[in-house]
Amino acid sequence: AQKVTQTQTSISVMEKTTVTMDCVYETQDSSYFLFWYKQTASGEIVFLIRQDSYKKENATVGHYSLNFQKPKSSIGLIITATQIEDSAVYFCAMREYRGSALGRLHFGAGTQLIVIP
Amino acid sequence: GALVYQYPRRTICKSGTSMRMECQAVGFQATSVAWYRQSPQKTFELIALSTVNSAIKYEQNFTQEKFPISHPNLSFSSMTVLNAYLEDRGLYLCGARDPGGREQYFGPGTRLTVL
């Protein structure tokens, strides 16, 4: 069975600091993809960053980076130098590699990030 | 860049009526489209996965009779919610992916309110 768990419901941080959001996953597949998405107040879901399970290096995009710990089935999202506009709900998601166009995303419950000025 | 549009953004319908929502991919070929519903509690439910020229695969608790989907070409998909009731309320999200892409890009969603 596939499952994605985000235990942090809400996090508040001061602007310009670094925040880490946790995510653990369960899968029987040896190959899979891990994603982080951000949902804004308007409901829009924005893709942020991806980690391929076969890559050892942690992915980095702009001020987003990942802490991928495969033995622990963990994929934390790190946001450095947080800005007010980073306030949103962050979702962790996983998709198994099936070698085809089909493949569902399994989402975590989301973590609300509040950046305080 | 890859963009996904959804229309309408918000809709209100009377209980027992139906409404259709559309999803348009721009800048890439959406060979794979997934329709999700996000509940007021923010949890995601996958409704169905569709691939152009292949059968649409519905998840448990969702049927073609209730949520008919059309995916006629590489840029467009539509879904209808038939006989909508209160439990159908939520944000309906379209996620599209091209054959070489690993990310799924989402539209802004269609928020359905049922009176």
Side-chain angles (χ1 to χ4, degrees):
Chain A
Q2 301 80 29
K3 187 178 178 183
V4 177
T5 303
Q6 293 177 255
T7 56
Q8 299 157 308
T9 305
S10 181
I11 303 175
S12 295
V13 299
M14 299 301 294
E15 190 181 10
K16 300 179 185 176
T17 61
T18 295
V19 64
T20 298
M21 281 176 266
D22 301 329
C23 175
V24 292
Y25 56 90
E26 296 174 27
T27 180
Q28 307 302 317
D29 282 28
S30 57
S31 291
Y32 47 90
F33 304 107
L34 300 162
F35 307 89
W36 278 90
Y37 288 88
K38 161 185 170 181
Q39 187 170 33
T40 63
S42 66
E44 196 163 350
I45 294 182
V46 180
F47 164 73
L48 298 177
I49 192 168
R50 181 188 93 237
Q51 179 78 40
D52 299 345
S53 64
Y54 58 87
K55 291 186 177 178
K56 292 183 180 178
E57 319 81 66
N58 290 321
T60 298
V61 176
H63 75 145
Y64 303 109
S65 61
L66 296 177
N67 179 16
F68 181 39
Q69 299 182 58
K70 195 170 182 180
K72 295 183 180 180
S73 296
S74 169
I75 184 74
L77 173 68
I78 303 166
I79 306 177
T80 56
T82 52
Q83 303 161 10
I84 303 297
E85 51 267 33
D86 291 325
S87 297
V89 179
Y90 288 78
F91 290 95
C92 176
M94 174 184 67
R95 180 169 62 83
E96 288 109 359
Y97 175 75
R98 295 289 169 86
S100 71
L102 291 178
R104 63 166 295 173
L105 282 174
H106 301 269
F107 285 93
T111 296
Q112 173 145 35
L113 176 65
I114 299 168
V115 181
I116 303 166
Chain B
L3 289 173
V4 178
Y5 294 97
Q6 285 187 253
Y7 178 83
R9 293 291 302 273
R10 293 176 179 273
T11 186
I12 301 172
C13 67
K14 288 185 177 179
S15 182
T17 63
S18 303
M19 69 81 52
R20 180 172 179 264
M21 54 190 77
E22 300 179 348
C23 174
Q24 178 113 27
V26 176
F28 68 107
Q29 296 181 326
T31 53
S32 170
V33 172
W35 285 93
Y36 292 85
R37 179 171 68 196
Q38 188 180 32
S39 69
Q41 294 73 35
K42 301 292 184 187
T43 57
F44 290 87
E45 295 177 281
L46 176 65
I47 298 170
L49 286 169
S50 90
T51 305
V52 172
N53 299 323
S54 294
I56 297 169
K57 184 180 176 187
Y58 285 84
E59 288 291 294
Q60 197 172 13
N61 301 327
F62 295 96
T63 65
Q64 184 180 7
E65 290 70 32
K66 172 73 175 177
F67 299 95
I69 290 170
S70 171
H71 189 180
N73 57 52
L74 294 173
S75 64
F76 182 82
S77 178
S78 67
M79 183 176 75
T80 302
V81 180
L82 296 174
N83 298 317
Y85 287 99
L86 281 176
E87 56 265 28
D88 296 319
R89 291 172 302 168
L91 182 66
Y92 286 81
L93 293 157
C94 164
R97 188 161 62 89
D98 67 28
R102 288 168 179 164
E103 294 86 34
Q104 197 160 67
Y105 293 98
F106 286 90
T110 294
R111 189 168 297 279
L112 174 63
T113 300
V114 182
L115 301 177

